[in-house]
């Protein structure tokens, strides 16, 4: 039954090809064995037969194979037996092989005794990404090495290379009675109107390093060595990689890509509207815009994320979605559109083997394409394509803005413009604009930077004027301007993306920590260029795997800096998500915690790998890093430090097996110190976290890393009650599954040890009073240290955990759930915890450690915490704190009168 169905589908594909595509009908008549092989054995057999055909000359052989392959691939495509990637891959593989044969033949014709070398063919465009069209040009760049190129004694290297190149092109595109192999386009080389078709490699490298145009970066995303001297081609691509993939976003290049596309829209205006006559390649929402949209995302992030450098459009979309740089829904939509549009384009080109991209305006011709595709009629074909075209057009339209506003240079008119924007303190705003225009800031001294600044200024000023305390926001922006060494990219980015300017205004007005981060690293805004920055944060395991990939692929120093940058970018993005009300503050706290955990996991492995080069490993030994406090409870804020304890397990008397052997104790203490340095020492990419290891046995006087046995003995026989309370919020972050399970089991066993409840409560009360004396609240709004704050609630929970052995989980909300079920605490404790936690997370971002937001930020704080206004939030918090204070008084047996 299945075989009969397959045969019927194949036969229908051949029938449609012969009925509606004159070129395919001619090929079926010329190569009946190919059609028969397809019908009997399928597409792979038909392709293999096509590629086995021979001829008397290189040119004849390649032409026969090309036409036979065209038939085999078309039948595989029309039958649906193979996907688009297979179709374009087979066409591209043949083009590569044909070019290699042609360049070899061109050299051997003049130098028959030489091994062809010193001449490389780079493929760009669709051939470069192995996505060649059914009937397409091949975009090539030809490079030669004067030192190794075979040539006759009287030939200059450049002359010889050009001669070989001309013969190569002739072998491929000259039309004979057998047709042609490929149309060759060499116009993507530098200055094609004045340069020879073959370029010396060193001159080409120099050009791309110093003089190349922005659009050429996008072109070389899809470049690869396709034929000739592969090593020479790869050497060139390696040399220019920094030109293509820049560490910092060059928004000017992205703007140029958009400008090119808009010029294409204008030039091919007749093919822009969807319907008969629509240009599938160049029209709005067409193939080129799908490709450009994808390449823009790659240019944004690919400099720092090599996994995004896939040349093929569909592969690149998958990588962008996988890494979270493009929303999966958007990537899927663009990918589906790309498949549909490329397939329709192939149908057009199958008709007469012409490089055509337009849907025919002639009704009969459009009907033929629809029938060839298996559609009932032209209307069905158009209806299938329309939503894909619109999906691409909408996404591409949203890349950048076309705004070209400028603020006036006339003082009186400028004041009027600022007042119209909504500035109350017009003179203050006027003075700041004047200061910036004076050019004193280094980032505004170049003409390009000044032009970009003026272009973005109206966008930013409108956004700032619409927010609270606009003059304070302008002052902070001035700080960023003063600290920038070069501002042209930032200014271009802000001018092109009004929504990003709105976000910046929000940051400047309400979030000093984020504004300070921007002052140090303005490129952090690059990461907000697409909506993926507002997607739900990945969990710790997903993030750790991304970071570990960097560790395993890059040298230690580069990996360390790259992970620092990635962590900094994600922390910044989480802060913006919080500020822009994209996510519940509780989820943001979990995101901060997962990010820190992933950084610890990845950097621990990176440091260990480097450490092992000198000291080897401890056989049977392992280090486990414990996270405590807010990290252990997955409740970090933007300003939280990391409470860590380092534990190791190793056989007695164990030594490391490296060139410089160490005892297990020395080994793991040095390793722990280096991990701490990796996490906390500032570098060019900035520090990651403040690290606090004082919760380890013996505190600051004890060893940085302690053995598991010593840790157990200390906790069972020497630890203070407060240390057991701290252990209630501990969880292992690193180590093997077995090691972490052992540590969890040990901690649980320690916390379940028999205790004197009265002593635990007395110790807890004494410690809380001691803390109040030495760590006074920052003010009445200090919901962490103040009466009825989070510390009181934590003390109540930990005291109950130690005295009842119920709810032994590092996450307070999980512990509370168990304690409520056991009747040890009321069910209002969890909502109070969540309210106070939300407010703490927000205040740490908006007001830092002062815990007192500016008056203009108070309503924003209320909104982010889920309340209509500031007074409503204060009333709810005040009530919650009274309840928390009462719970702590009840648990600790103390008077609630603080």
């Amino acid at each position: 039954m299945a075989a009969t169905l397959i045969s019927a589908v194949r036969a229908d594909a051949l029938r449609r090809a012969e009925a509606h595509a004159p070129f395919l009908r001619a090929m079926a008549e010329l190569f009946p064995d190919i059609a028969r092989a397809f019908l009997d054995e399928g597409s792979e057999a038909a392709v293999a037969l096509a590629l086995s055909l021979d001829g008397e000359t290189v040119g004849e052989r390649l032409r026969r194979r090309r036409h036979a392959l065209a038939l085999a691939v078309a039948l595989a495509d029309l039958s649906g037996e193979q996907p688009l990637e297979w179709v374009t891959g087979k066409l591209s593989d043949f083009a590569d092989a044909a070019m290699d044969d042609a360049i070899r033949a061109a050299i051997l014709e003049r130098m028959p005794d030489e091994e062809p070398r010193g001449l490389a063919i780079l493929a760009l465009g669709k051939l470069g990404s192995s996505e060649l069209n059914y009937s397409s040009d091949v975009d090539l760049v030809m490079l030669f090495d004067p030192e190794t190129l075979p040539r006759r004694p009287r030939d200059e290297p450049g002359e010889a290379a050009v001669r070989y190149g001309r013969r190569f092109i002739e072998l491929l595109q000259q039309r004979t009675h057998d047709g042609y192999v490929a149309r060759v386009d060499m116009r993507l080389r530098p200055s094609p109107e004045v340069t020879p078709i073959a370029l010396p490699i060193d001159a080409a490298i120099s050009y791309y390093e110093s003089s190349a145009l922005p659009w050429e970066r996008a072109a070389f995303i899809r470049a690869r060595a396709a034929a000739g001297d592969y090593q020479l081609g790869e050497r060139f691509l390696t040399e220019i990689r920094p030109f293509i993939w820049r560490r910092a976003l060059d928004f000017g290049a992205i703007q140029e890509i958009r400008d090119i596309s808009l010029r294409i829209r204008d030039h091919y205006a007749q093919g822009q509207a969807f319907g008969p006559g629509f240009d599938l390649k160049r029209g709005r929402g067409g193939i080129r815009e799908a490709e450009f949209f994808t390449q823009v995302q790659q240019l944004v992030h690919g400099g720092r994320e090599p996994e995004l450098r896939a040349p093929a459009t569909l592969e690149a979309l998958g990588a962008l979605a996988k890494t979270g740089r493009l929303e999966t829904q958007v990537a899927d939509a663009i990918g589906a559109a790309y498949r549909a549009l490329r397939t329709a384009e192939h149908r057009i080109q199958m008709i007469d083997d012409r490089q055509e991209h337009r849907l025919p305006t002639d009704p009969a011709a459009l009907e033929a394409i629809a029938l060839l595709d298996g559609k009932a009629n032209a209307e069905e074909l158009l209806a299938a394509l329309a939503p894909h075209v619109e999906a691409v057009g909408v996404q591409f339209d949203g890349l950048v803005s076309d705004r070209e506003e400028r603020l006036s240079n006339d003082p009186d008119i400028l004041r009027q413009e600022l007042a119209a924007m909504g500035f109350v303190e017009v003179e203050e705003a006027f003075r700041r604009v004047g200061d910036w225009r004076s050019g004193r800031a280094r980032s505004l001294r170049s003409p390009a930077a000044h032009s970009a600044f003026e272009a973005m200024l109206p966008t930013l000023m409108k956004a700032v004027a619409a927010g609270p305390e606009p003059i304070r926001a302008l002052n902070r922006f001035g700080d960023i301007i003063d600290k920038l060494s070069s501002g042209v990219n930032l200014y271009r980015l802000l001018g092109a993306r009004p929504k990003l300017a709105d976000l910046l205004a929000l940051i400047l007005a309400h979030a000093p920590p984020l504004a300070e981060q921007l002052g140090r690293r303005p490129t952090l805004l690059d990461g907000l260029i697409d909506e993926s920055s507002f997607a739900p944060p990945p969990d710790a395991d997903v993030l750790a795997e991304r970071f570990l990939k960097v560790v395993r692929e890059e040298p230690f120093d580069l990996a360390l800096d790259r992970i620092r940058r990635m962590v900094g970018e994600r922390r910044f993005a989480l802060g913006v998500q919080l500020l822009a009300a994209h996510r519940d503050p509780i989820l943001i706290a979990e995101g901060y915690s997962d990010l820190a955990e992933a950084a610890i996991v990845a950097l621990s492995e990176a440091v260990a790998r480097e450490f092992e080069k000198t000291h080897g490993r401890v056989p049977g030994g392992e280090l486990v890093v414990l996270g405590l406090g807010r990290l252990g409870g997955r409740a970090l804020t933007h300003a939280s430090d990391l409470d860590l304890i380092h534990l190791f397990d190793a056989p007695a008397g164990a030594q490391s097996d490296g060139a410089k052997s160490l005892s297990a104790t020395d080994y793991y203490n040095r390793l722990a110190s280096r991990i701490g340095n990796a996490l906390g020492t500032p570098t060019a990419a900035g520090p990651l976290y403040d690290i606090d290891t004082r919760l380890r046995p013996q505190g600051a006087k004890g060893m940085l890393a302690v053995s598991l046995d010593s840790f157990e003995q200390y906790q069972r026989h020497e630890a203070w009650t407060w240390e057991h309370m701290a252990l209630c919020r501990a969880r292992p972050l690193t180590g093997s599954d077995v090691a972490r399970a052992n540590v969890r089991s040990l901690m649980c066993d320690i916390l379940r040890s028999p205790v004197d409840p009265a002593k635990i409560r007395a110790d807890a009360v004494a410690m809380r009073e001691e803390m109040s004396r030495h760590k006074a609240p920052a003010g009445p709004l200090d919901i962490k240290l103040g009466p009825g704050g989070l510390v009181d609630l934590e003390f109540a929970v930990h005291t109950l955990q130690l005295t009842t052995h119920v709810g032994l989980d590092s996450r307070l909300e999980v512990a509370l759930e168990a304690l409520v079920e056991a009747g040890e605490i009321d069910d209002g404790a969890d909502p109070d915890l969540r309210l106070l936690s939300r407010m703490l997370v927000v205040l740490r971002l908006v007001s830092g450690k002062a815990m007192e937001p500016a008056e203009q930020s108070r309503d924003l704080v209320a909104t982010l915490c889920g309340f209509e206004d500031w007074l409503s939030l204060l009333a709810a918090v005040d009530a919650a704190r009274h309840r928390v204070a009462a719970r702590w008084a009840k648990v600790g047996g103390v008077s609630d009168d603080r």
Side-chain angles (χ1 to χ4, degrees):
M1 183 69 176
T4 302
L5 180 60
I6 291 173
S7 296
V9 170
R10 290 173 179 168
D12 182 63
L14 179 59
R15 179 193 62 77
R16 285 184 279 125
E18 292 177 332
H20 305 296
F23 170 71
L24 294 181
R25 180 169 60 246
M27 292 304 100
E29 293 170 355
L30 185 62
F31 301 105
D33 291 347
I34 301 297
R36 177 54 53 194
F38 171 73
L39 292 174
D40 294 343
E41 303 176 63
S43 52
E44 292 288 2
V47 167
L49 181 59
L51 296 179
S52 70
L53 298 179
D54 208 346
E56 293 184 5
T57 65
V58 171
E60 182 182 344
R61 181 178 75 246
L62 294 178
R63 283 162 175 76
R64 295 193 70 218
R65 289 182 179 180
R66 187 261 171 182
H67 286 86
L69 180 69
L71 174 62
V73 168
L75 293 174
D77 189 3
L78 290 170
S79 66
E81 188 166 306
Q82 299 291 352
L84 175 66
E85 294 93 325
W86 183 93
V87 172
T88 57
K90 291 296 183 186
L91 295 172
S92 302
D93 290 347
F94 169 74
D96 287 357
M99 292 190 304
D100 208 48
D101 285 350
I103 199 67
R104 172 176 285 272
I107 293 176
L108 291 179
E109 283 177 3
R110 284 186 65 82
M111 303 295 295
D113 298 326
E114 289 280 355
E115 177 64 26
R117 65 188 185 280
L119 192 61
I121 307 298
L122 302 181
L124 290 84
K126 287 186 170 62
L127 179 57
S129 57
S130 296
E131 299 173 299
L132 199 60
N133 273 349
Y134 190 79
S135 180
S136 176
D137 289 352
V138 289
D139 295 309
L140 307 177
V141 171
M142 188 179 298
L143 305 173
F144 71 92
D145 182 354
E147 302 298 323
T148 61
L149 183 71
R151 55 192 172 89
R152 294 178 179 178
R154 293 185 179 180
D155 289 347
E156 291 292 328
E159 295 173 352
V162 168
R163 186 177 289 112
Y164 296 145
R166 286 174 177 164
R167 179 57 177 149
F168 162 80
I169 294 171
E170 182 182 28
L171 286 169
L172 291 178
Q173 74 175 19
Q174 185 181 47
R175 289 184 178 269
T176 70
H177 65 280
D178 293 312
Y180 68 99
V181 182
R183 292 179 294 270
V184 179
D185 190 337
M186 307 291 291
R187 291 175 296 172
L188 289 182
R189 71 185 187 275
S191 304
E193 65 281 358
V194 296
T195 55
I197 58 173
L199 304 173
I201 184 170
D202 289 338
I205 290 172
S206 177
Y207 170 82
Y208 285 107
E209 287 181 340
S210 61
S211 307
L213 298 172
W215 67 265
E216 290 172 300
R217 286 183 60 202
F220 270 89
I221 286 178
R222 300 197 286 183
R224 63 183 175 87
D229 192 329
Y230 289 94
Q231 288 186 332
L232 182 66
E234 288 297 336
R235 175 190 148 200
F236 169 78
L237 291 174
T238 299
E239 289 287 338
I240 70 163
R241 189 169 294 138
F243 153 73
I244 305 169
W245 303 108
R246 297 180 181 174
R247 306 296 284 185
L249 168 65
D250 180 359
F251 197 77
I254 295 171
Q255 183 66 52
E256 177 126 345
I257 292 171
R258 172 63 186 269
D259 290 345
I260 290 171
S261 186
L262 292 177
R263 289 197 295 271
I264 290 171
R265 284 185 179 181
D266 291 340
H267 186 73
Y268 295 92
Q270 291 182 341
Q272 295 301 307
F274 183 73
F278 177 71
D279 194 320
L280 292 169
K281 179 178 180 180
R282 305 178 188 90
R284 177 190 177 273
I287 293 167
R288 178 158 287 170
E289 291 191 359
E291 293 170 341
F292 279 1
F293 176 85
T294 305
Q295 290 165 5
V296 165
Q297 315 306 319
Q298 291 179 282
L299 287 174
V300 171
H301 305 293
R304 287 165 289 183
E305 300 179 49
E307 59 269 28
L308 300 181
R309 300 176 186 177
T313 302
L314 292 172
E315 186 182 353
L317 287 167
L320 287 162
K322 183 178 180 181
T323 57
R325 291 303 186 181
L326 191 62
E327 289 185 356
T328 301
Q329 184 179 0
V330 173
D332 290 347
I334 298 296
Y338 187 74
R339 288 178 186 279
L341 294 169
R342 287 294 306 273
T343 299
E345 181 185 47
H346 284 178
R347 302 294 180 265
I348 294 171
Q349 295 174 351
M350 288 174 183
I351 300 291
D352 292 314
D353 190 29
R354 289 190 301 112
Q355 190 183 15
E356 180 58 70
H357 312 286
R358 291 177 181 269
L359 293 172
T361 54
D362 176 65
L366 185 59
E367 189 83 2
I369 290 170
L371 295 173
L372 177 64
D373 192 47
K375 300 289 190 297
N377 48 49
E379 288 74 17
E380 184 181 345
L381 175 67
L382 293 175
L385 292 176
H388 293 303
V389 170
E390 183 60 19
V392 173
V394 167
Q395 291 297 328
F396 191 82
D397 288 344
L399 275 180
V400 289
S401 165
D402 297 327
R403 300 168 61 144
E404 288 295 336
E405 294 181 64
R406 291 287 194 277
L407 291 181
S408 176
N409 287 314
D410 181 281
D412 292 334
I413 296 176
L414 175 58
R415 288 184 175 93
Q416 294 172 11
E417 291 173 338
L418 293 173
M421 289 178 179
F423 283 99
V424 175
E425 299 176 78
V426 171
E427 285 303 316
E428 286 294 321
F430 175 82
R431 186 171 63 81
R432 279 155 181 75
V433 172
D435 289 343
W436 297 333
R437 283 177 165 175
S438 69
R440 286 195 292 267
R442 182 170 51 175
S443 67
L444 289 169
R445 289 175 185 170
S446 74
H450 188 269
S451 175
F453 180 82
E454 287 291 344
M456 74 89 202
L457 198 54
T459 301
L460 182 71
M461 295 298 282
K462 286 181 180 179
V464 168
E469 205 163 353
I471 300 304
R472 181 170 68 164
L474 293 182
N475 288 339
R476 287 177 176 157
F477 186 60
D479 293 338
I480 294 174
I481 289 174
D482 291 340
K483 291 176 182 177
L484 281 172
S485 57
S486 174
V488 63
N489 289 330
L490 175 62
Y491 304 146
R492 283 172 173 167
L493 180 59
L494 292 172
R497 302 300 298 271
K499 289 184 179 179
L500 199 59
D502 292 340
L503 271 178
L504 178 59
L506 193 66
I507 291 167
L508 295 174
H510 297 293
L514 298 183
E516 289 172 8
Q517 277 185 271
L518 276 177
R520 291 192 301 268
R521 274 187 70 199
T523 55
L524 286 169
L525 277 176
D526 297 354
L528 304 181
I529 192 173
D530 58 71
E531 287 298 318
S532 66
S533 301
F534 299 103
D539 63 27
D541 290 340
V542 173
L543 281 170
E545 192 53 43
R546 290 182 190 173
F547 295 163
L548 286 169
K549 191 171 186 291
V550 175
V551 169
R552 293 161 186 160
E553 294 179 355
E554 297 191 12
F556 176 69
D557 289 343
L558 294 180
L560 182 62
D561 276 349
R562 187 173 170 205
I563 290 173
R564 286 176 181 275
R565 282 193 295 271
M566 293 168 75
V567 171
E569 289 164 6
R570 191 157 290 280
R571 282 179 83 185
F572 182 79
L574 285 169
V576 175
Q577 284 192 23
L578 173 60
L579 198 64
H582 275 262
R583 207 78 54 210
D584 187 314
I586 299 291
L587 296 179
I588 296 295
E590 293 175 355
Y592 283 137
S593 305
D594 288 346
L595 179 61
E597 179 179 344
I600 291 167
V601 170
L603 290 177
S604 293
E605 179 166 326
V607 171
R609 284 169 173 256
E610 190 71 9
F611 194 69
E612 288 165 7
K613 293 178 181 178
T614 301
H615 302 291
R617 297 185 178 186
V618 176
E622 191 166 0
L623 182 72
V624 176
V625 179
L626 283 184
L628 300 93
R630 304 195 73 80
L631 173 61
R634 291 189 75 220
L636 287 181
T637 71
H638 192 85
S640 294
D641 56 12
L642 305 184
D643 293 310
L644 303 178
I645 291 178
H646 300 87
L647 304 176
F648 68 88
D649 193 16
Q655 295 277 134
S656 67
D657 57 11
K660 294 185 178 180
S661 181
L662 296 171
S663 68
T665 298
D666 286 344
Y667 183 94
Y668 288 113
N669 272 273
R670 292 192 190 184
L671 179 58
S673 177
R674 295 194 182 187
I675 291 172
N677 289 338
L679 286 165
T681 302
T683 68
L688 287 184
Y689 297 100
D690 291 329
I691 306 300
D692 191 339
T693 59
R694 292 174 296 174
L695 291 177
R696 66 187 187 269
Q698 308 297 343
K701 296 179 181 178
M703 298 182 98
L704 187 58
V706 297
S707 71
L708 203 54
D709 288 341
S710 297
F711 179 74
E712 179 179 7
Q713 291 301 312
Y714 178 84
Q715 290 290 342
R716 291 192 186 280
H717 304 295
E718 301 180 50
W720 296 78
T721 297
W722 68 264
E723 291 176 289
H724 283 174
M725 294 177 73
L727 203 61
C728 288
R729 220 168 179 192
R731 60 189 175 97
L733 306 178
T734 70
S736 65
D737 291 344
V738 172
R740 283 183 285 131
N742 288 340
V743 171
R744 278 193 294 266
S745 177
L746 173 61
M747 291 192 302
C748 189
D749 191 55
I750 290 168
L751 295 176
R752 289 185 182 278
S753 299
V755 296
D756 177 355
K759 182 178 185 306
I760 296 294
R761 287 193 291 269
D763 288 347
V765 169
M767 184 172 61
R768 183 66 186 99
E769 291 174 350
E770 182 75 8
M771 181 182 291
S772 297
R773 286 193 293 270
H774 290 87
K775 293 184 71 174
L781 275 181
D782 191 336
I783 55 169
K784 179 181 178 181
L785 295 174
L790 283 165
V791 170
D792 278 357
L793 185 55
E794 291 164 7
F795 266 67
V797 172
H798 297 329
T799 301
L800 289 172
Q801 287 174 307
L802 292 178
T803 56
T804 68
H805 302 154
V806 172
L808 292 176
D809 192 286
S810 64
R811 294 163 296 174
L812 289 181
E813 63 275 16
V814 177
L816 279 172
E817 184 179 5
L819 289 167
V820 168
E821 187 175 345
E824 298 293 341
I825 199 167
D826 66 283
D827 60 6
D830 184 72
D832 288 344
L833 167 68
R834 292 179 182 276
L835 171 58
L836 297 180
S837 295
R838 286 188 179 95
M839 192 168 183
L840 179 69
V841 174
V842 173
L843 288 179
R844 285 290 192 239
L845 188 68
V846 171
S847 57
K849 294 190 176 181
M851 304 292 281
E852 184 73 36
E855 184 176 349
Q856 293 80 359
S857 298
R858 290 177 177 176
D859 283 342
L860 175 65
V861 171
T863 299
L864 298 180
C865 291
F867 289 82
E868 290 186 2
D869 54 55
W870 177 247
L871 291 179
S872 299
L873 172 62
L874 285 185
V877 167
D878 188 57
R881 290 178 67 173
H882 276 95
R883 291 190 294 268
V884 168
R887 291 184 189 104
W888 169 231
K890 179 180 178 182
V891 170
V894 296
S895 173
D896 180 18
D897 58 2
R898 289 176 296 159

